[in-house]
Amino acid sequence: MNRILVGKGEKPVYLLLKYANRHGLITGATGTGKTVSLLVLAEGFSRHGVPVFIADVKGDVAGLAMPGTSSEKIMRRVAEIGWQGYTPEANPVVFWDLFGQAGHRVRATVTELGPTLLARILELNDTQSAVLEVAFHVADSEGLLLLDLKDLRALLGYVAENRKEISQHYGLVSAQSVAAVQRALLSLEREGASVFFGEPALDLMDLMRTDLSGRGVIHVLAAHQLMQKPRLYSSFLLYLLSELFENLPEVGDADKPKLVFFFDEAHLLFDDAPPALRRRVEQVVRLIRSKGVGVYFCSQYPDDIPVDILGQLGNRIQHALRAVTPRDQQAVRAAAETLAPNPRLDVVQVLSLLGVGEALVSTLEERGVPMPVERTLMCPPRCRIWPITSEERTAVVARSPVGAKYDRAVDRESAYERLSRRAADFMASKDSTGERPGRGGAEEGGRLGQVLWGGKRRQGLVETMAKQAARTIGSEIGRRILRGVLGGILGTTRR
């Protein structure tokens, strides 16, 4: 049947696949079993042919790639639940890593990411963000592809050199603001983020894979290093979710999701996020359901998730919360209020008494009605619960079906090459003509030279006309450059 066995309360508790795209939430204090619940759901989706994407923050999610061990404790739990046919087994897993160390390298182009999200990664203020927006617009009008950070660096240099002329068309662009963006970009490169930008960019269809037996592939993003850069972590996940939102077709209510996303440490998505960005995320979560994508947030407290998004999450797994501090007591009350009430259960009291491997579960039943919350003994996963070794990870990466596509970088002609060639051609033309007219000789010749060729403080007529011609030729091409899928999500328009 199209359902995943989650555990057993007064009766077996299931997650119905046809309502799995109504999103979900897994919460609880550290060490109460959130990761195990995540593993159970992930391998349950995979067994039903649903691909899964998970960010592995602590390294223990990688155990999905290896079979578990039938210990006495696990078999006793299986017997208590009455689970028939339990056998340890591995899952089809593809490892990814933005830094290319613990999996296949994940890349995106600067154009795809767009100026709004890039400004958040660079931690720019409003003025600097506006300068970055202008720079992207100049790239469009000049027909310049922005693929990696050296392209963006070359573009910013071009904007700085021509800021007076650019300011006349797009508003004031100060040298100080451009320099601030360049410094932020340098800081980002020093953190190693430059490996994320470039080609080949991630193809969404590679996340929708099933293996030869029809099981959904589980994509595990190694995020233990990425977690040290919370803005890059959250921005990448939002970018990926937004790509899916923009590119997947509408499917309505399907028998099962096309893809399920798990956001571990979900509070990082919303910490310090501006209100406009939160509203966009809420919009995506609400609308992506009709595209067959389920989104599941994992965090310690339910109120880590903004209220507007929390209201969209239909399937809930709440592990224990220890009501020790006033913050904990408030979290317990908030968690109790988010679960469908059960008149036979005092949720506030039970939340503090749950043991490891127990949870309060409320999923959507027939017609999408929330099931009254059940105190549930959670199923053990079939996979390994602890991390895998580096040798085992290397073996999984070596037999991956996508390695040949992503392990080798591609560097085609883009803004850096075009601007470098343009500068070289300009210098060559100056050298071939020799000294400019007007640098010496008669006064009339000097004045004419200043008009035609300019001086140190102003452009000449020839240079101005050449730039205008280049801009006119590149504008039509530039307007056809794909701004990036995130542009529509974050309220920008594509050119």
Side-chain angles (χ1 to χ4, degrees):
M1 298 178 66
N2 285 338
R3 60 186 185 180
I4 299 172
L5 179 63
V6 176
K8 183 180 180 182
E10 295 182 359
K11 59 182 181 180
V13 177
Y14 296 95
L15 174 64
L16 302 183
L17 289 179
K18 65 180 179 180
Y19 297 119
N21 64 337
R22 305 293 176 91
H23 313 315
L25 178 67
I26 303 173
T27 50
T30 300
T32 57
K34 295 192 303 295
T35 300
V36 172
S37 295
L38 187 155
L39 296 177
V40 170
L41 292 185
E43 64 182 14
F45 284 122
S46 176
R47 289 173 63 85
H48 286 88
V50 179
V52 176
F53 185 95
I54 305 175
D56 186 8
V57 173
K58 299 183 290 291
D60 46 3
V61 174
L64 283 161
M66 296 294 159
T69 303
S70 296
S71 66
E72 180 182 349
K73 180 180 179 181
I74 289 179
M75 296 313 295
R76 185 167 58 249
R77 172 65 63 90
V78 170
E80 288 181 66
I81 295 173
W83 188 358
Q84 301 296 322
Y86 171 85
T87 54
E89 63 182 17
N91 299 277
V93 172
V94 172
F95 289 116
W96 301 89
D97 184 3
L98 261 69
F99 303 100
Q101 299 173 0
H104 304 300
R105 182 160 289 168
V106 184
R107 299 179 183 88
T109 65
V110 173
T111 293
E112 287 175 330
L113 209 66
T116 305
L117 195 52
L118 187 58
R120 184 178 182 231
I121 296 175
L122 295 173
E123 301 183 13
L124 305 180
N125 60 32
D126 291 342
T127 302
Q128 296 158 2
S129 299
V131 169
L132 188 62
E133 180 74 39
V134 168
F136 270 73
H137 192 82
V138 169
D140 282 353
S141 62
E142 296 278 351
L144 301 173
L145 285 176
L146 300 177
L147 302 181
D148 51 28
L149 290 188
K150 73 176 186 295
D151 292 326
L152 182 57
R153 195 166 50 243
L155 175 66
L156 290 172
Y158 177 78
V159 170
E161 292 175 1
N162 299 273
R163 62 184 182 277
K164 292 183 179 179
E165 183 181 355
I166 292 173
S167 297
Q168 294 176 358
H169 292 86
Y170 306 113
L172 179 63
V173 176
S174 67
Q176 293 82 357
S177 296
V178 176
V181 178
Q182 290 173 320
R183 288 192 297 270
L185 189 60
L186 178 61
S187 176
L188 187 68
E189 289 183 281
R190 286 178 176 173
E191 292 181 359
S194 58
V195 297
F196 171 53
F197 297 96
E199 292 185 315
L202 180 63
D203 184 352
L204 292 180
M205 290 302 102
D206 286 327
L207 298 182
M208 317 293 286
R209 286 176 172 264
T210 57
D211 67 2
L212 296 178
S213 65
R215 296 189 59 170
V217 174
I218 301 176
H219 302 271
V220 178
L221 174 70
H224 54 282
Q225 289 187 1
L226 192 59
M227 279 290 295
Q228 301 172 16
K229 306 169 181 63
R231 287 185 178 271
L232 182 60
Y233 171 72
S234 61
S235 299
F236 166 71
L237 293 180
L238 290 177
Y239 152 75
L240 200 54
L241 188 62
S242 303
E243 286 271 286
L244 292 168
F245 174 79
E246 283 288 325
N247 287 280
L248 292 180
E250 295 279 343
V251 297
D253 291 324
D255 292 335
K256 60 183 181 181
K258 298 177 66 176
L259 177 69
V260 171
F261 238 86
F262 286 93
F263 286 104
D264 202 4
E265 300 297 335
H267 65 277
L268 294 177
L269 296 172
F270 308 105
D271 287 350
D272 301 324
L277 188 56
R278 288 194 180 196
R279 288 194 296 271
R280 292 298 181 182
V281 176
E282 186 268 332
Q283 180 187 27
V284 172
V285 171
R286 177 181 297 169
L287 299 179
I288 204 171
R289 175 190 66 81
S290 63
K291 308 223 174 173
V293 177
V295 180
Y296 287 71
F297 296 95
C298 302
S299 195
Q300 288 198 9
Y301 303 105
D303 57 5
D304 288 338
I305 314 299
V307 174
D308 290 339
I309 297 175
L310 193 63
Q312 305 296 321
L313 311 180
N315 301 291
R316 308 287 180 91
I317 298 177
Q318 175 65 64
H319 288 272
L321 291 173
R322 309 308 181 195
V324 178
T325 67
R327 169 72 172 88
D328 295 335
Q329 295 170 3
Q330 180 182 359
V332 168
R333 291 191 295 270
E337 292 171 357
T338 63
L339 296 169
N342 186 337
R344 300 185 301 276
L345 199 64
D346 186 342
V347 174
V348 174
Q349 181 180 8
V350 172
L351 267 176
S352 300
L353 301 176
L354 291 172
V356 176
E358 285 188 296
L360 294 175
V361 179
S362 175
T363 60
L364 296 177
E365 297 184 307
E366 292 298 335
R367 302 188 307 278
V369 177
M371 176 191 80
V373 62
E374 286 269 0
R375 183 172 182 172
T376 304
L377 194 64
M378 301 298 291
C379 288
R382 299 172 183 263
C383 65
R384 185 182 297 179
I385 299 177
W386 58 92
I388 65 177
T389 65
S390 58
E391 292 78 12
E392 290 171 331
R393 182 184 291 270
T394 300
V396 173
V397 171
R399 62 175 182 264
S400 168
V402 299
K405 182 176 181 179
Y406 292 102
D407 289 345
R408 186 173 181 179
V410 176
D411 188 12
R412 61 190 174 113
E413 183 180 84
S414 50
Y416 174 79
E417 290 78 13
R418 292 192 61 181
L419 290 174
S420 297
R421 187 169 61 247
R422 188 183 300 180
D425 292 344
F426 180 72
M427 294 303 297
S429 65
K430 286 174 59 179
D431 293 340
S432 64
T433 56
E435 190 175 11
R436 289 181 178 182
R439 293 293 179 90
E443 182 179 357
E444 292 80 3
R447 291 176 180 175
L448 180 60
Q450 289 290 328
V451 172
L452 291 176
W453 302 104
K456 294 182 178 180
R457 297 187 177 182
R458 60 178 296 178
Q459 294 180 353
L461 180 61
V462 173
E463 186 177 353
T464 302
M465 292 178 65
K467 288 185 176 181
Q468 183 63 37
R471 186 180 304 107
T472 303
I473 294 172
S475 61
E476 182 61 25
I477 300 174
R479 282 192 293 269
R480 297 186 181 182
I481 294 178
L482 180 61
R483 156 63 55 239
V485 185
L486 190 61
I489 303 300
L490 298 173
T492 59
T493 57
R494 300 195 181 182
R495 287 109 178 164

